Amino acid sequence: MPSHVTYDTIIRGARWFDGTGGPSAVRDLGLRGGRVAAVSAEPLDATGCPEVMPAHGLWVLPGLIDIHTHYDIEVLAGPSLSESLRHGVTCVFVGSCSLSTVHVGAVDAGDLFSRVEAIPRHHVIDHVERGKTWHDASSYVEALEQLALGPNLAAFLGHSDVRTAVMGLDRATRPEVRATPAERGRMQQMLTDALDAGFLGMSAQQLLFDKLDGEVCRSRTLPSTYAGGAEMRGLRRILRRRGRALQAGPDATHPHTIVLEALRSIGLPGRAALKTSLLSAADIKAIPFVIHLMRGLAAVVNRLGADFRWQHLPVPFEVYADGIDLVIFEELGAGAAALHLSEKVARDELMRDPAYRAAFRKEYETKYTPRVWHRDFFDAEIVACPDESVIGRSFGQVGVERGGQHPVDAFLDLVVEHGTDLRWRTTISGHRPQVLRRLAAERGVQMGFSDAGAHLRNMAFYNFGLRLLKHVRDAEQEGAPFLTPEQAVHRLTGELADWYDIDAGHLRVGDRADLFLLDPTRLDARVEEYAEEPCEQYGGLSRMVNRNDECVPLVMVGGRTVWRDGAPAGPLGRERTGQFLRAGQGPVPPVPASTPSAAPAPAVRAG
């Protein structure tokens, strides 16, 4: 590289991963105009460069991609999305699980999002009501790009969103009602318009324990679950023709729906394969053999010409709950009955009822049915309670200590007595490390499904990418590798960007300078810990988060530093650094800085 060439930033001496899965190497990176201008084995000439970052001993990686979030609401009031950004995530997907805010109004958005995703309904309504300036997919993109976005965004169009907008929430959630040909045509036009605007595809849902909030349609399942065959065929036909993705959640209580979704992905002569990303490949405690069937299904249909992937969270799926407020109870009739009641007094009265308790016990003891929750209160640890004597015990143990009380009764007694002050945890899936390792290397899975921005009191997987890298590094040090670091980085970055066809996930000359520095020596137990922080966007609600800032000393979006040494940096929260990444439209220029850097920034610490 000629010596007179100058750069906006030089990253000096980091181990460089390009996101392709190819070999990593120690390199200097020169950034200019928001893109990678040079990758050099020799030291780059720093003459005229305002920022030189010593990064010896660190890794430099493409920004991670989170393919499954529910940031649709939070982005309107807190567009920096720093809880993901701080962990090296520089691109997030919104519009998952049939839910988006492209077409519905504020109240309908509140009913759709709040109970399913455990986001306070009044905040959903308020943020959409105050923030909505758009009326269709194109103006939605424009509205997002008026915000001070931290990371980049890409989006699915939610099927429940368009169905509600076209049919009205009441008609869209009645089993006897089918969309008319005119209504199906309007939905198809909305999808076409969204794809023209650069959306990734459409998300749909068949899962029957995702329930509506509000009063009018409370406890009905999401509108997408009521769609008839003709409606879905028309929408799939558009996605297939345009080469865009269907992100779907099958009905886990009816396993044949999983097989049907996989078979529909198969391409035939004269019919392209339908890109399908299905929820989710999980090693479920309740049904330990099912993960092997999932892996086999993906392998078979892809050999037959499908383009099918499972979404997979490559960490133990540990959840926390305050009292009975946890979505897994929706799969039980008794649990759904309690969650249907929004008032504590009414809930408590129900949970005291002997007939209700008998029904709950019966369902709890019915273990051999398709389900997500293992239904074992001996595998549910109490972590906080005004009655300190029960902390550290399971509900089953509490029942034993109370004279052989049934675990369900021990649980309900504590919920009635302490309400949401009773906090407990359990692991639903991903509990076997050896199975997690096999899944992480499986071609038929995609890394993702963090649910970032939702279930604020229940779980925190904002740093799932770092946790996978820790798992890979630990296995390598143990002499039992299952992925190389290069392969793991590829799975979290370039593989996803290429499949969804967006300008992200790579770190080669000419690529966007969306990147982060990683200190591999800090991939330790701290990345597996949880913390709680008040969430300003939701009235100071304490939400679960991850805190391992020493692991990620620097994050850049479009060549601009947005996170440094555990704190927001540069323009984050004040200016837009991220943008809407349009599927299939190739590289787009990063957002330019509003003012040039006036002075060198401090060097990045190596840990």
Side-chain angles (χ1 to χ4, degrees):
M1 187 68 65
S3 61
H4 65 273
V5 174
T6 60
Y7 304 98
D8 302 326
T9 303
I10 291 174
I11 297 174
R12 185 81 81 192
R15 181 179 173 184
W16 161 70
F17 295 76
D18 67 2
T20 68
S24 60
V26 174
R27 293 288 185 267
D28 275 15
L29 269 65
L31 314 180
R32 184 172 56 246
R35 293 196 173 267
V36 180
V39 178
S40 175
E42 301 299 324
L44 292 173
D45 184 353
T47 303
C49 179
E51 185 169 39
V52 178
M53 300 181 179
H56 303 281
L58 303 180
W59 295 359
V60 59
L61 289 75
L64 306 180
I65 300 172
D66 191 340
I67 63 172
H68 189 123
T69 83
H70 291 284
Y71 275 134
D72 309 67
I73 307 303
E74 186 173 339
V75 71
L76 302 178
S80 67
L81 302 180
S82 59
E83 288 304 339
S84 288
L85 197 66
R86 69 192 303 149
H87 302 295
V89 176
T90 61
C91 179
V92 300
F93 291 5
V94 297
S96 298
C97 297
S98 85
L99 303 173
S100 60
T101 62
V102 177
H103 293 286
V104 293
V107 174
D108 284 342
D111 290 354
L112 290 171
F113 273 89
S114 57
R115 183 165 164 184
V116 172
E117 304 305 339
I119 304 170
R121 181 172 180 266
H122 63 286
H123 287 301
V124 176
I125 294 172
D126 182 55
H127 292 332
V128 175
E129 201 167 59
R130 288 192 298 158
K132 186 163 185 175
T133 59
W134 59 90
H135 60 277
D136 60 10
S138 179
S139 56
Y140 175 74
V141 173
E142 292 173 4
L144 288 178
E145 293 200 321
Q146 295 301 309
L147 302 174
L149 296 177
N152 302 301
L153 265 68
F156 293 101
L157 181 66
H159 183 214
S160 287
D161 177 9
V162 298
R163 198 165 208 269
T164 299
V166 169
M167 299 177 66
L169 187 58
D170 181 46
R171 288 188 65 245
T173 54
R174 289 187 177 275
E176 72 276 12
V177 175
R178 285 288 178 263
T180 67
E183 288 169 336
R184 296 200 302 269
R186 286 180 62 197
M187 291 185 222
Q188 291 170 21
Q189 186 59 55
M190 287 174 171
L191 177 57
T192 299
D193 292 345
L195 301 184
D196 288 346
F199 278 54
L200 302 162
M202 186 186 80
S203 66
Q205 188 66 289
Q206 290 179 300
L207 192 62
L208 297 181
F209 63 71
D210 282 350
K211 304 289 179 64
L212 296 176
D213 208 333
E215 299 301 327
V216 177
C217 302
R218 186 174 181 83
S219 295
R220 298 182 193 177
T221 57
L222 291 178
S224 184
T225 65
Y226 296 87
E231 181 179 330
M232 290 305 301
R233 281 193 297 273
L235 296 168
R236 283 195 295 265
R237 191 178 303 119
I238 294 169
L239 294 170
R240 198 183 296 272
R241 185 174 66 244
R242 297 286 294 267
R244 294 287 156 245
L246 173 67
Q247 184 256 303
D251 177 9
T253 64
H254 295 85
H256 71 279
T257 65
I258 300 173
V259 176
L260 289 175
E261 288 289 358
L263 292 175
R264 290 180 183 120
S265 177
I266 296 173
L268 299 171
R271 188 183 83 164
L274 173 62
K275 283 187 174 183
T276 303
S277 181
L278 204 64
L279 305 180
S280 76
D283 181 23
I284 302 170
K285 271 188 181 182
I287 322 174
F289 65 87
V290 76
I291 189 59
H292 305 296
L293 301 180
M294 291 180 177
R295 295 169 61 210
L297 178 63
V300 168
V301 296
N302 283 327
R303 279 198 298 270
L304 293 175
D307 196 354
F308 177 86
R309 301 292 186 274
W310 290 106
Q311 292 191 6
H312 169 62
L313 185 68
V315 303
F317 199 91
E318 186 176 31
V319 295
Y320 285 67
D322 298 321
I324 201 170
D325 289 333
L326 186 63
V327 69
I328 60 171
F329 286 114
E330 299 276 18
E331 70 179 8
L332 297 176
L339 294 172
H340 174 75
L341 302 171
S342 57
E343 296 296 328
K344 183 180 186 306
V345 172
R347 273 193 192 181
D348 289 351
E349 183 178 352
L350 177 69
M351 288 187 287
R352 289 189 184 99
D353 181 5
Y356 172 81
R357 290 187 170 216
F360 201 138
R361 288 193 298 267
K362 182 177 180 180
E363 288 186 284
Y364 172 86
E365 290 166 357
T366 305
K367 312 257 186 181
Y368 302 102
T369 57
R371 63 199 185 282
V372 174
W373 178 37
H374 48 68
R375 301 183 193 177
D376 182 2
F377 275 132
F378 281 91
D379 186 7
E381 181 190 3
I382 301 166
V383 297
C385 184
D387 178 0
E388 295 182 359
S389 69
V390 301
I391 296 174
R393 289 172 166 78
S394 72
F395 294 108
Q397 289 172 316
V398 170
V400 170
E401 293 168 4
R402 292 183 174 183
Q405 188 182 31
H406 193 283
V408 166
D409 291 303
F411 170 71
L412 292 175
D413 281 351
L414 287 169
V415 172
V416 169
E417 185 175 357
H418 302 294
T420 55
D421 290 333
L422 172 71
R423 189 156 172 79
W424 56 280
R425 68 182 175 191
T426 189
T427 298
I428 303 297
S429 63
H431 54 295
R432 296 185 290 183
Q434 69 275 20
V435 177
L436 280 179
R437 292 182 179 189
R438 284 199 292 271
L439 284 170
E442 197 81 25
R443 179 184 177 274
V445 306
Q446 293 180 331
M447 299 299 116
F449 194 41
S450 78
D451 262 0
H455 305 288
L456 307 173
R457 296 283 301 148
N458 304 131
M459 58 197 193
F461 302 119
Y462 298 95
N463 69 346
F464 72 92
L466 302 181
R467 294 182 67 178
L468 175 62
L469 294 175
K470 177 187 182 298
H471 200 179
V472 167
R473 190 166 182 268
D474 289 349
E476 189 176 58
Q477 291 176 343
E478 294 164 6
F482 61 97
L483 286 175
T484 66
E486 290 86 352
Q487 289 169 331
V489 171
H490 173 61
R491 303 230 68 185
L492 294 163
T493 59
E495 177 182 302
L496 301 171
D498 293 345
W499 199 79
Y500 288 101
D501 198 12
I502 56 173
D503 182 24
H506 296 100
L507 201 57
R508 306 157 300 192
V509 172
D511 287 326
R512 293 176 57 88
D514 301 329
L515 58 87
F516 71 104
L517 294 180
L518 173 71
D519 184 346
T521 68
R522 305 288 186 166
L523 288 171
D524 54 32
R526 283 171 290 186
V527 305
E528 297 171 345
E529 296 173 353
Y530 302 109
E532 291 194 24
E533 290 287 338
C535 180
E536 181 183 345
Q537 292 77 34
Y538 298 125
L541 174 71
S542 181
R543 72 163 155 187
M544 293 180 62
V545 295
N546 309 106
R547 287 292 179 269
N548 44 262
D549 290 322
E550 291 180 336
C551 192
V552 180
L554 179 123
V555 182
M556 303 183 81
V557 176
R560 304 174 73 186
T561 298
V562 292
W563 196 267
R564 187 190 294 270
D565 291 335
L572 187 64
R574 298 183 292 104
E575 301 173 18
R576 178 166 67 96
T577 52
Q579 60 194 91
F580 189 90
L581 298 183
R582 293 160 174 82
Q585 297 188 17
V588 290
V591 180
S594 58
T595 56
S597 178
V604 177
R605 295 196 301 269

